[in-house]
Amino acid sequence: MSEIQNNQKGSNTVTIEGKTLKVVPNGLNKLWSFKGNLEIPLFHVAGATLDPGFNMSGRRAFRDPGLATPGKKAGTFKFPDGDVEFWNIAQPEQPLVIQLHDEEFDRLVLGVADPRQVADAINTAIE
């Protein structure tokens, strides 16, 4: 098991176990996001980036289900162009964006304590 992030300061804990990326929402985030965890084969991960400019501004989405308040987004969001995204992030966290293919979600937008470290570890694991 490769623990990328070992603390509970972010909205999520992300680990790589063998050939699987595991995302576990921390604490009440499980309730708000309607997800206990996500397990994604690494060969379905296209890449990860720290993207401070990534947000929903200007994009309308249907929340199905989840929570969307100023400062907190958690759950599944479906966009008119067909994209489906899982969000679990609170301000002031910087968005870690994980691009997926052949999965339930097209991308994950996550709050983690050290998004640069997690993005680098994911990108190294999929090389």
Side-chain angles (χ1 to χ4, degrees), residues 104-124:
E104 173 185 3
F105 301 105
D106 295 296
R107 67 193 57 80
L108 310 176
V109 182
L110 306 173
V112 297
D114 189 346
R116 171 60 58 211
Q117 177 194 16
V118 176
D120 290 346
I122 291 170
N123 290 327
T124 298

Side-chain angles (χ1 to χ4, degrees), residues 2-7 14 16 21 48-50 94 96 112-125:
S2 173
E3 184 89 9
I4 299 171
Q5 179 186 1
N6 194 16
N7 62 44
V14 177
I16 296 173
L21 177 70
T49 60
L50 166 63
Q94 297 290 313
L96 169 68
V112 297
D114 189 346
R116 171 60 58 211
Q117 177 194 16
V118 176
D120 290 346
I122 291 170
N123 290 327
T124 298

Side-chain angles (χ1 to χ4, degrees), residues 10-112:
S11 295
N12 305 278
T13 298
V14 177
T15 59
I16 296 173
E17 295 181 19
K19 298 288 184 186
T20 303
L21 177 70
K22 293 189 176 189
V23 177
V24 178
N26 294 325
L28 288 173
N29 290 290
K30 290 179 184 171
L31 177 68
W32 297 328
S33 67
F34 289 85
K35 289 286 182 192
N37 64 44
L38 296 167
E39 292 190 11
I40 298 156
L42 284 176
F43 60 89
H44 288 182
V45 177
T49 60
L50 166 63
D51 193 346
F54 194 89
N55 60 43
M56 271 196 214
S57 298
R59 298 190 313 154
R60 294 206 172 266
F62 180 70
R63 182 172 22 108
D64 181 29
L67 170 76
T69 64
K72 178 68 179 172
K73 288 190 177 22
T76 301
F77 294 86
K78 296 180 178 177
F79 292 84
D81 63 2
D83 281 358
V84 180
E85 299 177 356
F86 176 77
W87 285 63
N88 188 24
I89 189 166
Q91 288 182 342
E93 294 175 317
Q94 297 290 313
L96 169 68
V97 180
I98 303 172
Q99 197 72 33
L100 306 174
H101 58 85
D102 301 323
E103 282 292 324
E104 173 185 3
F105 301 105
D106 295 296
R107 67 193 57 80
L108 310 176
V109 182
L110 306 173
V112 297

